[in-house]
């Protein structure tokens, strides 16, 4: 029978499910999966601080990406600029579309911002060498659970594809918000690769910390 302590020492590869006994590598080293080479644990000095910086960048970029003009459409001399916020509001007036509008706003804007805010909440005290704030464990779990629902990058790809199709009919210019969304995709990927979940869970575990 495996005891709880034995199970705590195990780590499963997120790619191929191979089980390993977790041994914390030295700073800057990486523990990888024996079978497929996926990085399992990668503690890096100052990583928490960098993750926080990237999370703050995500919140700021998202504010700009929501309110700055996203597109300028030019059809036969008629110009129109529109932001993501305008687009979400445009759906608000028609009954059934309100649900769609809320869903779009949540998937594109709110969930990435919420995830960034949760990560800041969880990591900020750890960076300062303080104990985690109350609710840090459920906060980090929620942030990880929301990861598949964070759809800013899918939105950018969708828009880019749609614009290529529309460009036959109208002249479409990308507004500043489009480039902010593009930057957001890069920053989100950086943040998720920089963030070593194992190290964070371990830092949040009171039995290890004391
Ligand atoms: Zn593996």
């Amino acid at each position: 029978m495996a005891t709880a302590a034995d199970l705590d020492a195990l780590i499963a590869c997120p790619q191929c499910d191979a089980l390993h006994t977790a041994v914390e590598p030295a700073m800057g080293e990486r523990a990888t999966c024996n079978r497929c080479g996926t990085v399992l644990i990668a503690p890096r000095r100052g990583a928490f601080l960098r993750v926080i910086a990237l999370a703050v960048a995500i919140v700021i970029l998202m504010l700009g990406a929501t309110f700055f003009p996203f597109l300028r459409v030019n059809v036969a001399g008629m110009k129109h600029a529109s932001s993501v916020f305008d687009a979400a509001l445009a759906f608000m007036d028609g009954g059934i579309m309100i649900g769609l509008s809320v869903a779009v706003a949540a998937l594109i804007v709110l969930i990435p911002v919420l995830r960034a805010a949760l990560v800041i909440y969880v990591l900020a005290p750890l960076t300062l060498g303080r104990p985690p704030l109350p609710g840090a464990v459920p906060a980090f779990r929620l942030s990880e659970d929301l990861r598949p629902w964070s759809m800013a990058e899918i939105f950018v790809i969708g828009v880019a594809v749609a614009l290529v199709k529309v460009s036959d009919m109208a002249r479409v210019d990308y507004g500043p918000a489009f480039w902010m969304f593009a930057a957001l995709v890069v920053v989100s990927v950086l943040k998720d690769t920089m963030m070593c979940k194992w190290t964070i869970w371990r830092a949040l575990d009171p039995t290890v910390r004391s």
Side-chain angles (χ1 to χ4, degrees):
M1 261 306 268
T3 63
D6 290 341
L7 288 177
D8 272 352
L10 290 177
I11 182 169
C13 171
Q15 287 298 324
C16 71
D17 284 341
L19 276 180
H20 304 76
T21 310
V23 179
E24 189 165 18
M27 271 294 159
E29 309 260 287
R30 303 190 303 177
T32 53
C33 174
N34 287 340
R35 186 154 44 171
C36 70
T38 303
V39 176
L40 300 177
I41 311 172
R44 259 164 288 192
R45 209 174 292 281
F48 285 2
L49 196 61
R50 259 176 280 170
V51 170
I52 292 175
L54 292 171
V56 171
I58 286 175
V59 174
I60 294 170
L61 280 171
M62 190 56 97
L63 275 177
T66 308
F67 294 103
F68 279 115
F70 189 83
L71 289 178
R72 284 187 219 95
V73 184
N74 193 338
V75 192
M78 301 237 295
K79 287 180 196 157
H80 184 70
S82 170
S83 70
V84 170
F85 188 68
D86 296 333
L89 283 187
F91 282 121
M92 281 292 184
D93 41 11
I96 193 170
M97 292 303 236
I98 291 176
L100 180 66
S101 157
V102 170
V104 166
L107 291 179
I108 297 173
V109 177
L110 296 181
I111 290 181
V113 170
L114 176 64
R115 286 193 66 217
L118 288 170
V119 163
I120 296 170
Y121 180 82
V122 170
L123 291 188
L126 299 180
T127 317
L128 298 171
R130 305 227 175 118
L133 293 168
V137 168
F140 189 59
R141 188 171 299 128
L142 177 64
S143 157
E144 285 300 307
D145 288 347
L146 287 176
R147 185 191 287 239
W149 296 101
S150 193
M151 297 209 179
E153 48 268 56
I154 294 164
F155 173 69
V156 172
I157 295 166
V159 167
V161 170
L163 287 188
V164 170
K165 297 195 165 190
V166 170
S167 61
D168 292 343
M169 293 175 272
R171 230 193 77 213
V172 181
D173 293 321
Y174 302 101
F178 179 83
W179 302 112
M180 286 181 179
F181 265 112
L184 206 61
V185 173
V186 177
V187 174
S188 304
V189 170
L190 275 179
K191 180 188 130 242
D192 283 342
T193 35
M194 183 78 66
M195 207 166 71
C196 176
K197 276 184 284 181
W198 192 86
T199 313
I200 296 174
W201 280 125
R202 215 173 134 85
L204 290 176
D205 186 347
T207 54
V208 178
R209 211 176 49 243
S210 52

